[in-house]
Amino acid sequence: MTDVLVIGGGLHGCSAALHLAMRGVSVRVLEKDHAGRHASGVNAGGVRQLGRHLAEVPLSVASMAIWHRIAELVDDDCGFESHGQIRVAETEEELAACRARSDQLTALGFTHEEVVDRAELRRLVPAISGHCVGALVSRRDGAAIPYRTTFAFRRKAASLGARFEEGAAAVRVARAGRNWCVETADDRRFEAPVLLNCAGAWADRIAAQLGEPVPLEVIAPMLMITHRVPPFLKPVVGATGRTLSFKQFPNGTVLIGGGMRGRAAHDENRTELDFAKLAINARTVWDLFPIMRDATINRAWAGIEARMPDDIPVIGPSGTEEGAFHAFGFSAHGFQLGPVVGRILADLVTAGRTDLPIDSFDIRRFRQSAAAA
Amino acid sequence: MTEMTTRYDLAVIGAGPAGLAAATLAAERGLTTVLLDEQPVPGGQIYRSVTRNPVRNPGILGGDYWHGADLVGPFRDSGAAYRPGTTVWSVSRALEIGLSRDGAARILPVKHIILATGALERPFPIPGWTLPGVMGAGAAQILLKSSALVPSGRLVMAGTGPLLWLLAWQYLRAGARIDAILDTTPGGNWRAALRHMPGFLRSPYLGKGAALLLDVRRKVKVIGNVTDLRAVGDGALRSVAFRQGGGPERSLPADTLLLHQGVIPNINLANATGCGQHWDEIQRCWVPTVDEWGASSVEGVSIAGDGAGIAGAVAAEHRGRLAALGALHRLGAIGPEERDREAATHRAALAEAQRGRMFLDTLYQPGPDFRVPKDDTIVCRCEEVTAGQVRDAVRLGVGGPNQAKSFLRCGMGPCQGRLCGPTVTEVIADARGVSPAEVGYYRLRPPVKPITLAELASLPKSEDEIHAVLHP
């Protein structure tokens, strides 16, 4: 007998399964491919509080506390390293925006984002181009290895009794008495009283079957990675005025991302890269890190990801059905939130409430826009 | 993509026999054609440097090699544009080619693409294969063809397959000394191959192959039924250890060990483009799935020659011409009747060239121990991942090469899986007790050849800039 069915074996689904299994709940995850196949396994791995939407900040801070003790939760350090995240300002105007942001957070009682001057920026990032005037810094941020993380959550959940059905694509979701009945593309049926929709780029199809369509956009953020170069960078670096996420792995390879988008063909599990846009990313790196000008690009790829129109996720109970909950639409910044979102979902399932503020993520905010569409 | 930005109907990638023949026929029939090739001169691997070979005695390389010149002449006269020194690093479903030439990267849109990327050596993962002094026989043959280099010192060759014997024969004619050939062909293969003997007896391979084998065997010590092969040394190769059948371990001192166990299609570009592929149980490799015209599952992308499945250089020519006819038809330059009529002679020649292939494929199929190595053997050289680590990952729930790649980094290095992909597939399949077809293969990522950040950063958008790279 299964208590909870989770649709989607990405990080959020695996984290929910883990937190539920830790509380003795019988849980089964239905994953259409394999756990971590899409955005959860191939994202940039940024573990970032820096620059988050204000609604996400309390969740991000709570999740960061879990990240700093991640091995206690999943028996694997997930490759997590905390050398801070930095958003450089290339002009005085950008630095002023950084100050305004920091002041805004301080007023709300959060102290993790601080503005640093040119000298401190150069101490933190010696390779940064001389024209940068300062930065916004979150020192406890860092990065982890995405697939290893998702796989660790899956393994720990499985070790506590969670069951994973891989190759099980949920195609139909319907009531069957007091249970939810999920039918898969390979003609299997699973039933449980509680349903979690963690289906990522495919989550709108589940939500629609619950009578609450959402304006979800499927996106394909692109990343590229270089051959190994000598170590020159510890923190993760972004820019204030342009799109960039830049970090060096311990093995010397350098990851270049930041949200330039390719094209997603999500029904075919496929993405197409747009090298003209990657060229813009390369140009940004050229400008900010002169040391990288001779580096060689080894691979580029894109993950398939869900984006909501307001760039924050849907987290919380269904607005139409009892016993159904959502966590999707993380809009290309869900990785850091994974540990805490699983906890929130377990809270909602087992206690009917959570102590973290999730009202901003209510699916009902899309009622009008979806109806209009 | 519009007519305005397209200067070529057809781009052929790779100037080996398939690419040369395809570009020649397509250009002769009126398609504006460009042949893009990484090498400075045409010929591919099989006819490498055929137009300016430093080997002064033509007899060293054998008559088949010089046939490459018969392909280059007509190509030069065909009107096709030729762009040597061009690295193609991406092909998209929109038929846009990412390429680099003279340090500048460009995107070239065309109407049809024929991939003629040829073959590469099957990985031969044995203990010690990463030691300096150990290399692939194919790489050694490149040095012979392009620079007239032969190994000095004590030379041991080991493995199975026609190329091993051909190289030994070429070395002997070049005056090199071979201390021993360790033949790893499994004894049982002869029995399995016998039922394909009738085809082989009528094939062109027989006469040439038998004479060459006899010649080598007369002059070199050949040790058969070799198992448990190891390269031994501390910092560099010192000796080669092996057993004969179940016998005691023996050792031969060696400065150079050349390994070879056949060639497999070079599928990286086709795979990264998204062309469908399947596992070939006889040749033990992934092969792009194509129709009788070489058309892949991606509209407008065809694959010709060994890159679409190993069949040899002569077959590659005919497959190139068939792919060109398919492209001419798809682009509306010829009708189906004309295409089929012209294809008939090429199909007959292709059948003739492929006769005897099953015998060779069956006879020279590498044994399981050389495809699925023991735990302590490195399978991924770039990231130094062992077969044991792959098996441990399978025990944790890793089900296929892509999960293994994400979990262990195998296949993530500069070679993009060329040196580990088939091995990782087979190790996982073996550990799970399922077929390689079921575990799948790496999803390879462009750029399939490395490009510099500087090249990428300067990627131009306008047609004139693209033109400037190809027509400096």
Side-chain angles (χ1 to χ4, degrees), chain A residues 11-24:
Chain A
L11 179 57
H12 295 281
C14 290
S15 177
L18 170 60
H19 285 278
L20 286 164
M22 284 165 60
R23 299 178 196 190

Side-chain angles (χ1 to χ4, degrees), chain B residues 89-129:
Chain B
W89 41 264
S90 169
V91 165
S92 78
R93 283 172 186 263
L95 306 182
E96 292 172 338
I97 299 171
L99 57 86
S100 295
R101 193 159 193 246
D102 296 329
R106 298 297 182 260
I107 300 286
L108 176 71
V110 296
K111 295 178 189 163
H112 196 100
I113 297 170
I114 296 177
L115 306 179
T117 50
L120 47 76
E121 284 191 287
R122 180 195 303 281
F124 201 149
I126 59 166
W129 70 311

Side-chain angles (χ1 to χ4, degrees), chain B residues 6-373:
Chain B
T6 305
R7 287 168 196 256
Y8 295 109
D9 298 322
L10 173 68
V12 179
I13 300 169
L20 284 169
T24 304
L25 190 151
E28 285 171 352
R29 300 302 303 272
L31 292 186
T32 52
T33 300
V34 62
L35 177 58
L36 308 170
D37 190 46
E38 197 162 30
Q39 301 303 321
V41 288
Q45 300 297 349
I46 189 88
Y47 306 126
R48 182 180 271 266
S49 302
V50 72
T51 55
R52 59 171 199 207
N53 198 288
V55 178
R56 261 172 282 160
N57 174 0
I60 287 175
L61 294 170
D64 286 351
Y65 170 78
W66 299 103
H67 169 62
D70 301 340
L71 292 172
V72 176
F75 168 70
R76 299 258 196 234
D77 297 336
S78 72
Y82 172 52
R83 301 290 171 255
T86 302
T87 298
V88 171
W89 41 264
S90 169
V91 165
S92 78
R93 283 172 186 263
L95 306 182
E96 292 172 338
I97 299 171
L99 57 86
S100 295
R101 193 159 193 246
D102 296 329
R106 298 297 182 260
I107 300 286
L108 176 71
V110 296
K111 295 178 189 163
H112 196 100
I113 297 170
I114 296 177
L115 306 179
T117 50
L120 47 76
E121 284 191 287
R122 180 195 303 281
F124 201 149
I126 59 166
W129 70 311
T130 56
L131 282 172
V134 183
M135 66 190 288
Q141 198 189 35
I142 288 174
L143 294 176
L144 174 66
K145 287 177 183 171
S146 59
S147 308
L149 284 175
V150 297
S152 56
R154 293 160 302 182
L155 170 63
V156 175
M157 300 175 71
T160 184
L163 188 137
L164 189 75
W165 297 98
L166 173 62
L167 179 63
W169 182 81
Q170 290 171 336
Y171 274 163
L172 293 173
R173 290 171 78 92
R177 201 189 103 143
I178 302 169
D179 289 72
I181 294 177
L182 306 179
D183 187 348
T184 63
T185 309
N189 283 12
W190 273 103
R191 213 165 32 250
L194 272 182
R195 65 192 183 90
H196 302 295
M197 188 61 113
F200 182 68
L201 289 177
R202 291 182 292 122
S203 84
Y205 293 117
L206 177 62
K208 284 183 292 191
L212 188 148
L213 267 172
L214 280 175
D215 200 21
V216 173
R217 284 182 174 275
R218 254 201 316 271
K219 293 169 184 158
V220 181
K221 179 167 72 173
V222 176
I223 300 172
N225 207 13
V226 164
T227 59
D228 290 323
L229 184 66
R230 291 189 297 130
V232 181
D234 185 11
L237 179 71
R238 293 281 170 266
S239 63
V240 179
F242 62 96
R243 295 177 200 277
Q244 201 171 10
E249 184 167 89
R250 297 167 61 185
S251 178
L252 292 171
D255 301 299
T256 302
L257 169 62
L258 299 183
L259 294 171
H260 179 79
Q261 53 177 353
V263 293
I264 58 177
N266 184 353
I267 61 171
N268 281 38
L269 190 54
N271 177 305
T273 304
C275 300
Q277 59 190 30
H278 62 273
W279 174 260
D280 185 318
E281 273 292 327
I282 305 291
Q283 295 189 348
R284 309 298 299 181
C285 58
W286 291 99
V287 178
T289 304
V290 297
D291 70 9
E292 59 183 331
W293 305 100
S296 78
S297 65
V298 174
E299 175 68 23
V301 177
S302 310
I303 310 172
D306 277 355
I310 302 301
V314 177
E317 266 178 55
H318 303 303
R319 293 158 90 191
R321 294 184 185 111
L322 290 168
L325 288 171
L328 280 155
H329 173 252
R330 177 175 167 269
L331 296 176
I334 57 173
E337 297 82 11
E338 189 178 356
R339 175 195 65 180
D340 294 351
R341 193 172 56 245
E342 275 213 33
T345 50
H346 303 309
R347 286 205 191 287
L350 176 60
E352 174 68 24
Q354 285 183 296
R355 193 181 286 157
R357 197 73 222 175
M358 272 301 278
F359 175 82
L360 291 176
D361 288 345
T362 309
L363 175 61
Y364 290 126
Q365 185 185 89
D369 293 348
F370 292 112
R371 292 184 277 111
V372 184

